[in-house]
């Protein structure tokens, strides 16, 4: 199995090299390559995603899902997402959050999964970039 630091190193490789390594893993074990690809982009990565791709990923995610995803989320993630949505979307998000009462952990996890899936879809198209540390 790969360690967390190995996954970070893999995620930080250039797109061509990363795709080559994932392709080699896929030839050996397709299920493992899917798991590795999924672990390369996780909820905690949101603050490092560049603004433009994050805006693209968030477009089309409804306010309720976003409010659920941000419920008790790390402040860095909350700020990053809020700084990458329109004023109208912020108002809708605020309204949804005010109507929310103690959502189930499964609902929060599912909502975060929707955002991460959108980021992974951009990554699959080669359109996801991260800010330089």
């Amino acid at each position: 199995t790969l360690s967390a630091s190995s996954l970070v190193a893999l995620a930080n490789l250039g797109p061509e090299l990363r795709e080559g390594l994932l392709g080699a893993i896929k030839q050996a074990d397709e299920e493992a390559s899917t798991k590795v690809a999924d672990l390369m982009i996780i909820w905690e990565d949101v603050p490092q995603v560049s603004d433009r791709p994050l805006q693209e990923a968030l477009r089309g995610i409804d306010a309720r899902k976003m409010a659920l995803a941000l419920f008790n989320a790390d402040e860095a993630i909350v700020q990053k997402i809020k700084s990458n949505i329109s004023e109208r979307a912020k108002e809708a998000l605020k309204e949804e959050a005010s109507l929310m009462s103690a959502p189930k952990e499964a609902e929060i996890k599912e909502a975060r999964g929707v955002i991460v899936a959108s980021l992974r879809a951009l990554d699959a198209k080669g359109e996801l970039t991260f800010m330089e540390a």
Side-chain angles (χ1 to χ4, degrees):
T1 64
L2 289 170
S3 67
S5 60
S6 297
L7 290 171
V8 169
L10 188 57
N12 288 329
L13 294 174
E16 295 84 19
L17 188 52
R18 185 178 64 193
E19 291 307 314
L21 285 172
L22 281 174
I25 294 169
K26 187 174 185 171
Q27 285 181 339
D29 185 340
E30 188 154 346
E31 185 179 339
S33 77
T34 300
K35 288 180 181 177
V36 169
D38 286 351
L39 289 171
M40 285 178 25
I41 301 166
I42 59 173
W43 175 248
E44 289 76 11
D45 292 331
V46 168
Q48 286 77 45
V49 174
S50 298
D51 290 345
R52 201 168 292 263
L54 182 59
Q55 292 161 8
E56 180 67 30
L58 295 173
R59 197 172 292 136
I61 298 195
D62 71 57
R64 175 158 169 69
K65 281 272 188 251
M66 208 173 300
L68 278 167
L70 295 179
F71 190 84
N72 285 341
D74 183 80
E75 190 59 30
I77 295 173
V78 173
Q79 290 308 313
K80 180 69 172 190
I81 287 178
K82 284 184 174 180
S83 70
N84 279 286
I85 59 175
S86 69
E87 288 302 317
R88 191 176 70 196
K90 283 181 201 164
E91 285 303 314
L93 179 62
K94 187 175 173 181
E95 184 176 334
E96 284 293 338
S98 74
L99 299 172
M100 200 172 289
S101 63
K104 293 180 175 77
E105 189 64 36
E107 290 177 307
I108 295 168
K109 195 172 185 177
E110 189 269 337
R112 290 177 180 176
V114 169
I115 293 172
V116 171
S118 184
L119 291 171
R120 289 177 181 158
L122 284 177
D123 187 52
K125 294 191 292 186
E127 297 174 5
L128 187 66
T129 58
F130 293 87
M131 299 182 331
E132 296 291 323

